[in-house]
Coordinates of all heavy atoms in Angstrom, one line a residue:
M1 N -78.5 -29.4 5.6 CA -78.1 -29.2 6.9 C -79.2 -28.4 7.6 O -79.7 -27.5 6.9 CB -76.8 -28.4 6.9 CG -76.4 -28.0 8.2 SD -74.7 -27.3 8.3 CE -73.9 -28.7 8.8
R2 N -79.5 -28.8 8.8 CA -80.4 -28.0 9.5 C -79.7 -27.1 10.5 O -78.8 -27.5 11.2 CB -81.3 -28.9 10.5 CG -82.3 -28.2 11.2 CD -83.3 -29.2 11.8 NE -84.1 -28.5 12.8 CZ -84.5 -29.0 13.9 NH1 -84.3 -30.3 14.3 NH2 -85.3 -28.3 14.7
I3 N -80.0 -25.8 10.5 CA -79.3 -24.8 11.3 C -80.4 -24.3 12.2 O -81.6 -23.9 11.9 CB -78.9 -23.6 10.4 CG1 -77.8 -24.1 9.4 CG2 -78.2 -22.5 11.3 CD1 -78.4 -24.2 8.1
G4 N -80.1 -24.2 13.6 CA -81.0 -23.7 14.5 C -80.4 -22.8 15.5 O -79.2 -22.8 15.6
W5 N -81.3 -22.0 16.2 CA -80.8 -21.0 17.2 C -81.8 -20.9 18.2 O -83.0 -21.3 18.1 CB -80.5 -19.7 16.5 CG -81.7 -19.3 15.7 CD1 -82.6 -18.4 16.2 CD2 -82.0 -19.5 14.4 NE1 -83.6 -18.2 15.2 CE2 -83.2 -18.8 14.0 CE3 -81.4 -20.3 13.4 CZ2 -83.8 -19.0 12.8 CZ3 -81.9 -20.4 12.2 CH2 -83.2 -19.7 11.8
K6 N -81.4 -20.4 19.4 CA -82.4 -20.1 20.5 C -83.2 -18.8 20.2 O -82.7 -17.9 19.5 CB -81.6 -19.9 21.8 CG -81.0 -21.1 22.2 CD -80.3 -21.0 23.6 CE -79.5 -22.2 24.1 NZ -79.0 -22.1 25.3
A7 N -84.4 -18.7 20.7 CA -85.2 -17.6 20.5 C -84.6 -16.4 21.1 O -84.1 -16.3 22.2 CB -86.6 -17.8 21.2
A8 N -84.5 -15.2 20.3 CA -84.1 -14.0 20.8 C -85.1 -13.3 21.8 O -86.3 -13.6 21.7 CB -83.8 -13.1 19.6
T9 N -84.7 -12.4 22.7 CA -85.5 -11.7 23.5 C -85.1 -10.2 23.4 O -84.0 -9.9 23.2 CB -85.5 -12.2 25.0 OG1 -84.1 -12.1 25.4 CG2 -85.9 -13.7 25.1
D10 N -86.1 -9.4 23.7 CA -85.9 -7.9 23.8 C -86.8 -7.4 24.8 O -88.0 -7.7 24.8 CB -86.2 -7.3 22.5 CG -85.9 -5.8 22.4 OD1 -86.2 -5.1 23.4 OD2 -85.4 -5.4 21.4
P11 N -86.3 -6.8 25.9 CA -87.1 -6.3 27.0 C -88.1 -5.2 26.7 O -89.1 -5.0 27.4 CB -86.1 -5.8 28.1 CG -84.9 -5.4 27.3 CD -84.9 -6.3 26.1
T12 N -88.0 -4.5 25.6 CA -88.9 -3.4 25.2 C -89.8 -3.7 23.9 O -90.7 -2.9 23.9 CB -88.0 -2.2 24.9 OG1 -87.1 -2.4 23.8 CG2 -87.2 -1.7 26.1
S13 N -89.5 -4.7 23.3 CA -90.3 -4.9 22.0 C -90.2 -6.3 21.6 O -89.2 -7.1 21.6 CB -89.7 -4.0 20.9 OG -90.5 -3.9 19.8
P14 N -91.3 -7.0 21.1 CA -91.3 -8.3 20.7 C -90.4 -8.5 19.6 O -90.2 -7.6 18.7 CB -92.8 -8.7 20.4 CG -93.5 -7.6 21.0 CD -92.7 -6.4 21.1
I15 N -89.9 -9.8 19.3 CA -89.1 -10.1 18.2 C -90.1 -10.4 17.0 O -91.1 -11.0 17.1 CB -88.3 -11.4 18.5 CG1 -87.3 -11.2 19.7 CG2 -87.4 -11.9 17.2 CD1 -86.4 -10.1 19.5
A16 N -89.6 -9.7 15.9 CA -90.6 -9.7 14.7 C -90.0 -10.8 13.7 O -90.8 -11.3 12.9 CB -90.6 -8.5 14.0
G17 N -88.7 -11.1 13.8 CA -88.2 -12.1 12.8 C -86.7 -12.2 12.9 O -86.0 -11.7 13.7
Y18 N -86.2 -13.1 11.9 CA -84.7 -13.4 11.8 C -84.2 -13.2 10.5 O -85.0 -13.4 9.5 CB -84.4 -14.8 12.4 CG -84.7 -15.0 13.8 CD1 -86.1 -15.6 14.2 CD2 -84.0 -14.6 14.9 CE1 -86.5 -15.8 15.4 CE2 -84.4 -14.8 16.2 CZ -85.5 -15.4 16.5 OH -86.0 -15.6 17.8
Q19 N -82.9 -13.0 10.3 CA -82.3 -13.2 9.1 C -81.2 -14.2 9.2 O -80.4 -14.2 10.2 CB -81.6 -11.9 8.6 CG -82.6 -10.9 8.0 CD -81.8 -9.7 7.4 OE1 -80.8 -9.2 7.8 NE2 -82.5 -9.1 6.3
V20 N -80.9 -15.0 8.2 CA -79.8 -15.9 8.2 C -79.0 -15.7 6.9 O -79.6 -15.5 5.8 CB -80.5 -17.4 8.2 CG1 -79.3 -18.5 8.2 CG2 -81.3 -17.7 9.4
E21 N -77.7 -15.9 7.1 CA -76.8 -15.7 5.9 C -75.8 -17.0 6.0 O -75.5 -17.5 7.1 CB -76.1 -14.4 5.9 CG -77.0 -13.3 5.7 CD -76.2 -12.0 5.7 OE1 -75.0 -11.9 6.0 OE2 -76.8 -11.0 5.2
M22 N -75.3 -17.3 4.8 CA -74.3 -18.4 4.7 C -73.1 -17.9 3.9 O -73.2 -17.1 3.0 CB -75.1 -19.4 3.8 CG -74.1 -20.6 3.6 SD -75.1 -22.1 2.8 CE -75.3 -21.4 1.2
S23 N -71.9 -18.4 4.4 CA -70.7 -18.1 3.7 C -70.2 -19.6 3.3 O -70.3 -20.5 3.9 CB -69.6 -17.6 4.7 OG -68.4 -17.6 4.1
V24 N -69.6 -19.6 2.0 CA -69.1 -20.7 1.4 C -67.6 -20.6 1.1 O -67.2 -19.5 0.6 CB -69.8 -21.0 0.0 CG1 -69.3 -22.3 -0.6 CG2 -71.3 -21.1 0.2
K25 N -66.8 -21.5 1.5 CA -65.4 -21.5 1.4 C -64.7 -20.3 1.9 O -63.8 -19.7 1.3 CB -65.0 -21.7 -0.1 CG -65.4 -23.0 -0.7 CD -65.0 -23.2 -2.1 CE -65.5 -24.4 -2.7 NZ -65.2 -24.5 -4.1
G26 N -65.2 -19.8 3.1 CA -64.6 -18.6 3.6 C -64.8 -17.2 2.9 O -64.3 -16.2 3.3
G27 N -65.8 -17.3 2.0 CA -66.1 -16.1 1.3 C -67.0 -15.2 2.1 O -67.4 -15.4 3.2
E28 N -67.5 -14.1 1.5 CA -68.4 -13.2 2.0 C -69.7 -13.8 2.4 O -70.1 -14.8 1.7 CB -68.7 -12.0 1.1 CG -67.5 -11.1 0.8 CD -67.0 -10.3 2.0 OE1 -67.9 -9.9 2.9 OE2 -65.9 -10.2 2.3
F29 N -70.4 -13.4 3.4 CA -71.7 -13.9 3.7 C -72.7 -13.4 2.6 O -72.7 -12.3 2.1 CB -72.2 -13.5 5.1 CG -71.7 -14.2 6.2 CD1 -70.5 -13.8 6.8 CD2 -72.2 -15.4 6.6 CE1 -69.8 -14.6 7.8 CE2 -71.6 -16.2 7.6 CZ -70.5 -15.8 8.2
G30 N -73.5 -14.2 2.1 CA -74.5 -13.9 1.0 C -75.8 -13.7 1.4 O -76.1 -13.5 2.5
A31 N -76.6 -13.6 0.3 CA -78.0 -13.3 0.4 C -78.7 -13.7 1.7 O -78.8 -14.8 2.0 CB -78.8 -13.9 -0.8
S32 N -79.3 -12.7 2.3 CA -80.1 -12.9 3.6 C -81.4 -13.7 3.2 O -82.1 -13.4 2.4 CB -80.4 -11.6 4.2 OG -79.2 -10.9 4.6
V33 N -81.8 -14.5 4.2 CA -83.1 -15.2 4.1 C -83.8 -14.7 5.3 O -83.4 -14.8 6.5 CB -82.9 -16.7 4.3 CG1 -84.2 -17.4 4.3 CG2 -82.0 -17.2 3.0
D34 N -85.0 -14.0 5.1 CA -85.9 -13.6 6.2 C -86.7 -14.6 6.7 O -87.4 -15.3 5.8 CB -86.7 -12.3 5.6 CG -85.8 -11.2 5.3 OD1 -84.8 -11.0 6.0 OD2 -86.1 -10.5 4.3
L35 N -86.8 -14.8 8.0 CA -87.7 -15.8 8.6 C -88.6 -15.1 9.7 O -88.2 -14.2 10.3 CB -86.9 -16.9 9.2 CG -86.0 -17.6 8.2 CD1 -85.0 -18.5 9.0 CD2 -86.7 -18.5 7.3
P36 N -89.7 -15.7 9.9 CA -90.7 -15.1 11.0 C -90.1 -15.5 12.3 O -89.3 -16.4 12.6 CB -92.0 -15.9 10.7 CG -91.6 -17.2 10.0 CD -90.4 -16.9 9.2
A37 N -90.6 -14.7 13.3 CA -90.2 -15.0 14.7 C -90.4 -16.3 15.2 O -89.7 -16.8 16.1 CB -90.9 -13.9 15.6
S38 N -91.4 -16.9 14.7 CA -91.8 -18.3 15.1 C -90.9 -19.4 14.7 O -90.9 -20.5 15.1 CB -93.2 -18.6 14.7 OG -93.3 -18.6 13.4
Q39 N -90.0 -19.1 13.7 CA -89.2 -20.1 13.2 C -87.8 -20.1 13.7 O -87.1 -18.9 13.5 CB -89.1 -20.0 11.6 CG -88.4 -21.1 10.9 CD -88.6 -21.0 9.4 OE1 -89.4 -20.4 8.9 NE2 -87.7 -21.8 8.8
L40 N -87.4 -21.1 14.4 CA -85.9 -21.0 15.1 C -85.0 -22.1 14.4 O -84.0 -22.5 14.9 CB -86.2 -21.5 16.6 CG -87.0 -20.4 17.4 CD1 -87.2 -21.0 18.7 CD2 -86.5 -19.1 17.3
D41 N -85.3 -22.3 13.1 CA -84.4 -23.2 12.4 C -84.7 -23.1 10.9 O -85.7 -22.6 10.5 CB -84.5 -24.7 12.8 CG -85.7 -25.3 12.6 OD1 -86.6 -24.8 11.9 OD2 -86.0 -26.5 13.2
T42 N -83.7 -23.6 10.1 CA -83.9 -23.5 8.6 C -83.1 -24.7 8.1 O -82.1 -25.1 8.8 CB -83.6 -22.2 8.1 OG1 -84.0 -22.2 6.7 CG2 -82.1 -21.9 8.2
T43 N -83.4 -25.1 6.9 CA -82.6 -26.2 6.3 C -81.9 -25.7 5.0 O -82.6 -24.9 4.2 CB -83.5 -27.4 5.9 OG1 -84.1 -27.9 7.1 CG2 -82.7 -28.5 5.3
R44 N -80.8 -25.9 4.8 CA -80.1 -25.5 3.6 C -79.3 -26.7 3.0 O -78.7 -27.6 3.7 CB -78.9 -24.4 4.0 CG -79.6 -23.1 4.5 CD -80.1 -22.4 3.4 NE -80.9 -21.3 3.9 CZ -82.2 -21.2 4.0 NH1 -82.9 -22.2 3.6 NH2 -82.8 -20.1 4.4
W45 N -79.3 -26.8 1.7 CA -78.6 -27.7 1.0 C -77.1 -27.4 0.9 O -76.8 -26.2 0.5 CB -79.1 -28.0 -0.4 CG -80.5 -28.5 -0.4 CD1 -81.6 -27.9 -0.6 CD2 -80.8 -30.0 -0.1 NE1 -82.8 -28.8 -0.5 CE2 -82.2 -30.1 -0.2 CE3 -80.1 -31.1 0.0 CZ2 -82.9 -31.3 0.0 CZ3 -80.7 -32.3 0.2 CH2 -82.1 -32.4 0.1
I46 N -76.2 -28.3 1.3 CA -74.8 -28.1 1.2 C -74.2 -29.2 0.5 O -74.7 -30.3 0.4 CB -74.2 -27.9 2.6 CG1 -74.3 -29.1 3.4 CG2 -74.8 -26.6 3.3 CD1 -73.5 -29.0 4.8
S47 N -72.9 -29.0 0.0 CA -72.1 -30.1 -0.6 C -71.1 -30.7 0.3 O -70.6 -30.0 1.2 CB -71.4 -29.5 -1.8 OG -72.3 -28.9 -2.7
Y48 N -70.7 -31.9 0.1 CA -69.7 -32.6 0.9 C -68.4 -31.9 0.6 O -68.1 -31.4 -0.4 CB -69.5 -34.0 0.5 CG -70.8 -34.8 0.9 CD1 -71.6 -35.5 0.0 CD2 -71.1 -35.0 2.2 CE1 -72.6 -36.3 0.3 CE2 -72.1 -35.8 2.6 CZ -72.9 -36.5 1.7 OH -74.0 -37.1 2.1
E49 N -67.4 -31.9 1.6 CA -66.2 -31.4 1.6 C -65.9 -29.9 1.3 O -64.9 -29.5 0.8 CB -65.2 -32.3 0.7 CG -65.4 -33.8 0.9 CD -65.0 -34.3 2.2 OE1 -64.1 -33.6 2.9 OE2 -65.5 -35.3 2.7
V50 N -67.0 -29.2 1.5 CA -66.9 -27.7 1.3 C -67.2 -27.1 2.6 O -68.0 -27.3 3.3 CB -68.0 -27.3 0.3 CG1 -68.1 -25.8 0.1 CG2 -67.7 -27.9 -1.0
P51 N -66.3 -26.1 3.1 CA -66.5 -25.4 4.4 C -67.7 -24.3 4.2 O -67.8 -23.5 3.3 CB -65.2 -24.7 4.7 CG -64.4 -24.7 3.4 CD -65.0 -25.8 2.5
Y52 N -68.6 -24.4 5.2 CA -69.7 -23.3 5.3 C -69.7 -22.8 6.6 O -69.2 -23.3 7.6 CB -71.0 -24.2 5.1 CG -71.2 -24.7 3.7 CD1 -70.9 -26.0 3.4 CD2 -71.9 -23.9 2.8 CE1 -71.1 -26.5 2.1 CE2 -72.2 -24.4 1.6 CZ -71.7 -25.6 1.1 OH -71.9 -26.2 -0.1
Q53 N -70.2 -21.5 6.7 CA -70.4 -20.9 8.0 C -71.8 -20.1 7.9 O -72.1 -19.5 6.8 CB -69.3 -19.9 8.3 CG -69.3 -19.4 9.7 CD -68.1 -18.6 10.1 OE1 -67.4 -18.1 9.2 NE2 -67.6 -18.7 11.2
F54 N -72.5 -20.2 9.0 CA -73.8 -19.5 9.0 C -73.8 -18.4 10.1 O -73.2 -18.5 11.1 CB -74.9 -20.6 9.3 CG -74.9 -21.6 8.2 CD1 -74.2 -22.7 8.3 CD2 -75.8 -21.4 7.1 CE1 -74.3 -23.7 7.3 CE2 -75.8 -22.3 6.0 CZ -75.1 -23.5 6.2
R55 N -74.7 -17.5 9.9 CA -74.9 -16.4 11.0 C -76.3 -16.0 10.9 O -77.1 -16.2 9.9 CB -74.0 -15.2 10.7 CG -74.3 -14.4 9.5 CD -73.2 -13.3 9.5 NE -73.5 -12.4 8.4 CZ -72.7 -11.3 8.1 NH1 -71.8 -11.0 8.9 NH2 -73.1 -10.5 7.2
V56 N -76.8 -15.6 12.1 CA -78.2 -15.2 12.2 C -78.3 -14.0 13.1 O -77.4 -13.7 14.0 CB -79.0 -16.3 12.9 CG1 -78.5 -16.7 14.3 CG2 -80.6 -16.1 13.0
R57 N -79.3 -13.2 12.9 CA -79.6 -12.0 13.7 C -81.1 -11.8 13.8 O -81.8 -12.3 13.0 CB -79.0 -10.7 13.1 CG -79.5 -10.2 11.9 CD -78.8 -9.0 11.4 NE -79.4 -8.5 10.2 CZ -79.0 -7.3 9.7 NH1 -78.2 -6.4 10.3 NH2 -79.5 -6.9 8.5
A58 N -81.5 -11.1 14.8 CA -83.0 -11.0 15.1 C -83.3 -9.4 14.8 O -82.4 -8.5 15.1 CB -83.3 -11.4 16.5
V59 N -84.6 -9.2 14.5 CA -85.1 -7.8 14.5 C -86.4 -7.7 15.3 O -87.1 -8.7 15.3 CB -85.4 -7.4 13.0 CG1 -86.6 -8.2 12.4 CG2 -85.7 -5.9 12.9
D60 N -86.6 -6.7 16.0 CA -87.7 -6.5 16.9 C -88.8 -5.7 16.2 O -88.5 -5.2 15.0 CB -87.5 -5.9 18.3 CG -86.9 -4.5 18.2 OD1 -87.0 -3.8 17.1 OD2 -86.4 -4.1 19.3
T61 N -90.0 -5.5 16.7 CA -91.1 -4.9 16.0 C -90.8 -3.4 15.9 O -91.4 -2.8 15.0 CB -92.4 -5.1 16.7 OG1 -92.2 -4.7 18.2 CG2 -92.8 -6.6 16.7
A62 N -89.8 -2.9 16.6 CA -89.5 -1.4 16.4 C -88.5 -1.3 15.2 O -88.0 -0.1 14.9 CB -88.9 -0.9 17.7
G63 N -87.9 -2.4 14.7 CA -87.0 -2.3 13.6 C -85.5 -2.3 14.0 O -84.6 -2.1 13.2
N64 N -85.3 -2.5 15.3 CA -83.9 -2.7 15.8 C -83.3 -4.1 15.7 O -83.9 -5.1 15.9 CB -83.9 -2.4 17.4 CG -84.5 -1.1 17.6 OD1 -84.0 -0.1 17.2 ND2 -85.5 -1.1 18.6
W65 N -82.1 -4.1 14.9 CA -81.4 -5.4 14.7 C -80.4 -5.8 15.8 O -79.7 -4.9 16.3 CB -80.7 -5.3 13.3 CG -81.6 -5.3 12.2 CD1 -82.0 -4.2 11.5 CD2 -82.2 -6.4 11.6 NE1 -83.0 -4.5 10.5 CE2 -83.0 -5.9 10.5 CE3 -82.2 -7.8 11.8 CZ2 -83.7 -6.8 9.7 CZ3 -82.9 -8.7 10.9 CH2 -83.6 -8.1 9.9
S66 N -80.4 -7.1 16.0 CA -79.3 -7.6 17.0 C -78.0 -7.6 16.2 O -78.0 -7.6 15.0 CB -79.7 -8.9 17.5 OG -79.6 -9.8 16.5
P67 N -76.9 -7.8 17.0 CA -75.7 -8.1 16.3 C -75.8 -9.5 15.6 O -76.6 -10.3 16.1 CB -74.6 -8.0 17.3 CG -75.3 -7.6 18.6 CD -76.7 -7.7 18.3
W68 N -75.0 -9.8 14.6 CA -74.9 -11.1 14.1 C -74.4 -12.2 15.1 O -73.4 -11.9 15.8 CB -74.1 -11.2 12.8 CG -74.6 -10.5 11.6 CD1 -74.3 -9.2 11.2 CD2 -75.7 -11.0 10.7 NE1 -75.1 -9.0 10.0 CE2 -75.9 -10.0 9.7 CE3 -76.4 -12.1 10.8 CZ2 -76.9 -10.2 8.8 CZ3 -77.4 -12.3 9.7 CH2 -77.6 -11.3 8.8
A69 N -74.9 -13.3 15.1 CA -74.4 -14.4 16.0 C -73.9 -15.4 14.8 O -74.6 -15.9 14.1 CB -75.5 -15.1 16.7
T70 N -72.5 -15.7 14.9 CA -71.9 -16.4 13.8 C -71.5 -17.7 14.4 O -70.9 -17.8 15.5 CB -70.7 -15.7 13.2 OG1 -71.1 -14.4 12.8 CG2 -70.0 -16.5 12.1
G71 N -71.9 -18.8 13.7 CA -71.6 -20.1 14.1 C -70.2 -20.6 13.6 O -69.4 -19.9 12.9
P72 N -69.7 -21.7 14.0 CA -68.4 -22.3 13.6 C -68.4 -22.7 12.0 O -69.5 -22.8 11.4 CB -68.2 -23.5 14.5 CG -69.7 -24.0 14.7 CD -70.5 -22.7 14.9
V73 N -67.3 -22.8 11.5 CA -67.2 -23.4 10.2 C -67.4 -24.9 10.2 O -66.9 -25.6 11.1 CB -65.7 -23.1 9.6 CG1 -65.5 -23.8 8.3 CG2 -65.4 -21.6 9.5
V74 N -68.3 -25.4 9.4 CA -68.6 -26.8 9.3 C -68.4 -27.4 8.0 O -68.5 -26.6 6.8 CB -70.1 -27.0 9.6 CG1 -70.5 -26.6 11.1 CG2 -71.1 -26.2 8.7
V75 N -67.9 -28.7 7.9 CA -67.7 -29.4 6.7 C -68.3 -30.8 6.8 O -68.0 -31.4 7.8 CB -66.1 -29.5 6.4 CG1 -65.9 -30.2 5.2 CG2 -65.4 -28.2 6.4
M76 N -69.2 -31.1 5.9 CA -69.8 -32.4 5.8 C -68.9 -33.3 5.2 O -68.4 -33.1 4.0 CB -71.1 -32.3 5.2 CG -72.1 -31.5 5.9 SD -72.7 -32.2 7.5 CE -73.6 -33.4 7.0
H77 N -68.7 -34.5 5.7 CA -67.8 -35.6 5.1 C -68.7 -36.8 4.8 O -69.5 -37.2 5.6 CB -66.7 -36.0 6.0 CG -65.8 -34.9 6.4 ND1 -64.8 -34.3 5.5 CD2 -65.7 -34.2 7.6 CE1 -64.3 -33.3 6.2 NE2 -64.7 -33.2 7.4
A78 N -68.6 -37.3 3.6 CA -69.3 -38.6 3.2 C -68.8 -39.7 4.0 O -67.5 -39.8 4.3 CB -69.1 -38.8 1.7
V79 N -69.7 -40.6 4.5 CA -69.3 -41.8 5.1 C -69.9 -43.0 4.4 O -71.0 -43.1 4.0 CB -69.8 -41.8 6.6 CG1 -69.5 -43.1 7.3 CG2 -69.2 -40.7 7.3
D80 N -69.1 -44.1 4.2 CA -69.7 -45.3 3.5 C -70.2 -46.1 4.7 O -69.5 -46.7 5.4 CB -68.4 -46.0 2.8 CG -68.9 -47.3 2.2 OD1 -70.1 -47.7 2.3 OD2 -68.1 -47.9 1.5
D81 N -71.6 -46.1 4.7 CA -72.2 -46.8 5.7 C -72.2 -48.3 5.6 O -72.7 -49.1 6.4 CB -73.7 -46.4 5.9 CG -74.5 -46.6 4.8 OD1 -74.1 -47.1 3.7 OD2 -75.8 -46.2 4.9
R82 N -71.6 -48.8 4.5 CA -71.3 -50.3 4.3 C -70.1 -50.7 4.9 O -69.8 -52.0 5.0 CB -71.5 -50.6 2.9 CG -72.8 -50.3 2.2 CD -72.7 -50.3 0.7 NE -71.8 -49.4 0.3 CZ -71.4 -49.1 -0.9 NH1 -71.8 -49.9 -2.0 NH2 -70.6 -48.1 -1.3
N83 N -69.3 -49.9 5.4 CA -68.0 -50.1 6.1 C -68.2 -51.0 7.3 O -69.0 -50.7 8.2 CB -67.3 -48.9 6.4 CG -65.9 -49.1 6.8 OD1 -65.6 -50.0 7.7 ND2 -64.9 -48.3 6.4
G84 N -67.4 -52.1 7.4 CA -67.5 -53.0 8.5 C -67.1 -52.3 9.8 O -67.4 -52.9 10.9
A85 N -66.3 -51.2 9.8 CA -66.0 -50.6 11.1 C -67.1 -49.8 11.7 O -67.1 -49.4 12.9 CB -64.8 -49.6 10.8
I86 N -68.3 -49.6 10.9 CA -69.5 -49.0 11.5 C -70.3 -50.1 12.2 O -70.7 -51.0 11.7 CB -70.3 -48.2 10.5 CG1 -69.4 -47.1 9.8 CG2 -71.6 -47.7 11.0 CD1 -70.1 -46.4 8.7
V87 N -70.6 -49.8 13.4 CA -71.4 -50.8 14.3 C -72.7 -50.1 14.5 O -72.9 -49.0 15.0 CB -70.7 -51.1 15.6 CG1 -71.5 -52.1 16.4 CG2 -69.3 -51.7 15.4
R88 N -73.8 -50.9 14.4 CA -75.1 -50.3 14.6 C -75.7 -50.9 15.8 O -75.5 -52.0 16.2 CB -76.1 -50.7 13.4 CG -75.7 -50.0 12.1 CD -76.6 -50.5 10.9 NE -76.3 -49.8 9.8 CZ -75.2 -50.0 8.8 NH1 -74.3 -51.1 9.2 NH2 -75.0 -49.3 7.9
H89 N -76.4 -50.1 16.6 CA -77.1 -50.6 17.9 C -78.5 -50.0 17.9 O -78.8 -49.1 17.4 CB -76.4 -50.0 19.1 CG -75.0 -50.4 19.3 ND1 -74.6 -51.6 19.8 CD2 -73.8 -49.8 18.9 CE1 -73.3 -51.7 19.8 NE2 -72.8 -50.6 19.3
G90 N -79.4 -50.9 18.4 CA -80.7 -50.5 18.6 C -81.6 -50.6 17.5 O -81.4 -50.9 16.3

């Protein structure tokens, strides 16, 4: 799954990077992944039919962290693309 966010801004100091965390099945948010300021998305492997939630925060060059921005709970469902009900266009 690809997770993306808008670039953070700070009027007094440039953004130095981001942290992303993931929660599985409503559990605690786990291990932070540190990303550079130039990266506004990341890809995570997830399983079908399992609820996930992601959150991100920014840090500026002075070391100030933003509050966490938490996304909605998402669940990926498998789809049989051979099903006759699926119509392809283009």
Side-chain angles (χ1 to χ4, degrees):
M1 168 177 266
R2 183 175 171 211
I3 301 102
W5 54 91
K6 293 181 181 183
T9 59
D10 185 319
T12 60
S13 192
I15 299 301
Y18 298 95
Q19 278 188 336
V20 177
E21 292 183 347
M22 178 175 71
S23 167
V24 182
K25 296 181 181 177
E28 295 294 319
F29 282 92
S32 296
V33 176
D34 295 324
L35 300 170
S38 60
Q39 189 169 344
L40 299 177
D41 63 14
T42 187
T43 302
R44 297 285 172 255
W45 291 101
I46 65 172
S47 299
Y48 291 117
E49 308 303 331
V50 176
Y52 292 89
Q53 191 170 30
F54 298 90
R55 67 183 185 177
V56 63
R57 67 179 179 169
V59 64
D60 64 16
T61 55
N64 301 307
W65 287 98
S66 72
W68 287 104
T70 304
V73 173
V74 294
V75 179
M76 296 292 289
H77 301 286
V79 175
D80 181 357
D81 65 354
R82 297 168 293 179
N83 187 314
I86 297 174
V87 179
R88 293 173 177 84
H89 296 279

